Amino acid sequence: MKIAIIGTGYVGLVTGNCFAESGNDVRCVDIDQEKIDGLQRGIIPIYEPGLSELVLKNAAAGRLHFTTDLARAVGDAELVYLAVGTPPADDGSADLTALWAVVDQVALHLSQDAMVVIKSTVPVGTNDETFRRLQALTGRECPVVSNPEFLKEGAAIQDFTFPDRVVVGVRSRQEADVMRELYQPFLRTDKPFLSMSPVSAELTKYVANALLSTKISFINEMANICEQVEGDINDVRRGIGHDQRIGFAFLFPGVGYGGSCFPKDVRALACMARDLGLEPRIMEAVDQVNNHQKHVLKDKIEKAFAGRLEGKTVAVWGLAFKPRTDDIREAPALTLLDRLVELGATVRVHDPEATSNVRAIYGDRLVYCQSEVETLDNADCLAINTEWSEYRNPDFADMKLRMATPLIFDGRNLFDPEQMRQLGFRYVSIGRPPAEPVSDAPAVRS
Ligand code: NAD
């Protein structure tokens, strides 16, 4: 099939690439000339495992093209995918400015038999409005399908190639058949292809993200209760997770969720509910709990230093909102960095992929280190924000030698408190009692 993808961000680039990989002829369009120039030279604008290799391979095979020429890409296409951003507006609703701009442009060039597919996460009713808008602009009924995306940054290629399910919102059997054929190569493991109305498909995306965010905020709130009663959230987690009605997925306490999807989608769903005259009590609470949780790590650090961080050195491991991505949108690390900088601490940071995005915001207010070990030199404490796998098994003896004080604030519960105690660290994690070093622990630098 000839496919145009409008919007070559995380979702557009992954989608275009995976469709090219399955033999389609794909043109990825963007208004960002620099991004397209780079992609044409094989420079991938984001870090996503496996993406770079696949882009180079499909581009070399002539199945994947990058362009700013929307007219030509749309004019040739049988399917026109809309994958532009839908960022939050000031009131929390989804800002559809980019989407409507694209719909208006697409209408000018859409061929007679082409189908429009909305991949962006859009409020309920956007598909219907797009259908009406295209009808008004073209004078004919253009098929408009919803095809929400469920990929996770950091595992995007894997998720797209082996989806748990494919959801499409359609108005006719023919539309469903076209989409089923397109996704056939990705459904060979008998995963379901779920065809429903556009409204249900649009809502499915929001409900999925709302439930996942709810699980995170729920376990974080439980972790905070655990701390007050000196319980251990890990034990509690195990205690509930073996119940088959509950399970373990997405019930890891931490420093709150971030990224470009959960925060904005929870708020947008709440907005939708309010517009309908409903009170979105759960969504509002999920958002509030998460905003609170983003402060938990810095509050623990401030408390330990009685608010006096001027002249202190804080090492920070992990800046991206989660591992295996360079995305720092709404990352909890930013809340921590803002406060540490405000309090006058010297902040030495490391992230395997997100450093340049953070540097673009903080410039020379932070010290950027090449390795996580380097951040520790003379540090008064270490704060762990993101659970990159390279942070999970450090050389603790070397850490102690490098740090001025063996003090760790772990926002991701990477280590065993008892082991840390034996090793001579003061170790503060989430939802577990703090571990104080044993008195005969190996010597600590004064
Ligand atoms: P993004 O910001 O990474 O990419 C959007 C791209 O659209 C940018 O490259 C931008 O330059 C381009 N664009 C904007 N206006 C344009 C125009 N008029 N013409 C052509 N290109 C234009 O966004 P993203 O993370 O890929 O998200 C896209 C959509 O997919 C959003 O609705 C998001 O909620 C949804 N989504 C994202 C993820 C994710 O993990 N990132 C997962 C599922 C769904």
Side-chain angles (χ1 to χ4, degrees), residues 9-11 30-31 35 84 86 102 121 149 153 261 264 329:
Y10 270 98
V11 168
D30 208 284
I31 38 168
K35 188 182 267 189
V84 293
T86 48
V102 165
T121 302
E149 181 50 56
E153 288 181 15
C261 290
K264 86 168 168 62
R329 289 178 278 188

Side-chain angles (χ1 to χ4, degrees), residues 241-290:
H242 287 288
D243 184 329
Q244 289 186 9
R245 294 167 302 176
I246 298 175
F248 289 98
F250 260 73
L251 288 173
F252 292 93
V255 288
Y257 58 76
S260 67
C261 290
F262 287 180
K264 86 168 168 62
D265 291 350
V266 165
R267 288 176 209 140
L269 183 57
C271 261
M272 269 181 260
R274 276 192 293 271
D275 287 348
L276 294 166
L278 302 168
E279 268 189 69
R281 296 182 187 89
I282 292 180
M283 291 302 88
E284 282 170 356
V286 167
D287 191 36
Q288 276 168 23
V289 169
N290 194 58

Side-chain angles (χ1 to χ4, degrees), residues 186-401:
F186 308 105
L187 294 169
R188 277 175 300 183
T189 46
D190 277 343
K191 294 292 179 171
F193 175 86
L194 303 172
S195 169
M196 54 187 79
S197 74
V199 162
S200 298
E202 287 168 335
L203 198 52
T204 297
K205 173 64 194 173
Y206 280 103
V207 172
N209 277 357
L211 182 56
L212 293 170
S213 308
T214 301
K215 290 178 92 171
I216 296 173
S217 277
F218 175 81
I219 200 70
N220 282 335
E221 188 157 290
M222 298 308 115
N224 295 339
I225 294 173
C226 263
E227 278 181 23
Q228 294 306 313
V229 296
E230 297 190 4
D232 182 330
I233 191 66
N234 261 4
D235 289 339
V236 175
R237 225 178 66 75
R238 279 197 294 271
I240 62 169
H242 287 288
D243 184 329
Q244 289 186 9
R245 294 167 302 176
I246 298 175
F248 289 98
F250 260 73
L251 288 173
F252 292 93
V255 288
Y257 58 76
S260 67
C261 290
F262 287 180
K264 86 168 168 62
D265 291 350
V266 165
R267 288 176 209 140
L269 183 57
C271 261
M272 269 181 260
R274 276 192 293 271
D275 287 348
L276 294 166
L278 302 168
E279 268 189 69
R281 296 182 187 89
I282 292 180
M283 291 302 88
E284 282 170 356
V286 167
D287 191 36
Q288 276 168 23
V289 169
N290 194 58
N291 289 336
H292 172 268
Q293 199 67 17
K294 285 181 169 183
H295 293 262
V296 159
L297 202 58
K298 77 162 179 54
D299 288 349
K300 288 176 190 286
I301 297 173
E302 272 191 73
K303 191 170 163 205
F305 288 91
R308 287 189 287 277
L309 278 151
E310 202 164 349
K312 300 288 180 194
T313 298
V314 181
V316 177
W317 285 4
L319 306 169
F321 85 93
K322 67 173 184 174
R324 293 163 67 83
T325 180
D326 61 356
D327 199 340
I328 57 163
R329 289 178 278 188
E330 302 226 22
L334 305 184
T335 306
L336 174 69
L337 296 178
D338 284 346
R339 186 65 178 153
L340 293 176
V341 167
E342 187 187 342
L343 289 173
T346 299
V347 188
R348 297 171 64 81
V349 300
H350 175 263
D351 188 282
E353 297 296 337
T355 306
S356 57
N357 286 338
V358 168
R359 196 194 294 266
I361 299 175
Y362 290 90
D364 59 8
R365 289 181 292 156
L366 306 175
V367 181
Y368 304 94
C369 298
Q370 293 297 320
S371 69
E372 65 272 24
V373 174
E374 206 184 302
T375 61
L376 301 172
D377 291 341
N378 235 12
D380 293 288
C381 69
L382 162 66
I384 303 175
N385 250 295
T386 316
E387 67 277 33
W388 284 93
S389 48
E390 41 269 74
Y391 300 157
R392 285 179 185 272
N393 201 11
D395 179 342
F396 290 112
D398 181 51
M399 285 174 74
K400 271 178 73 178
L401 285 174

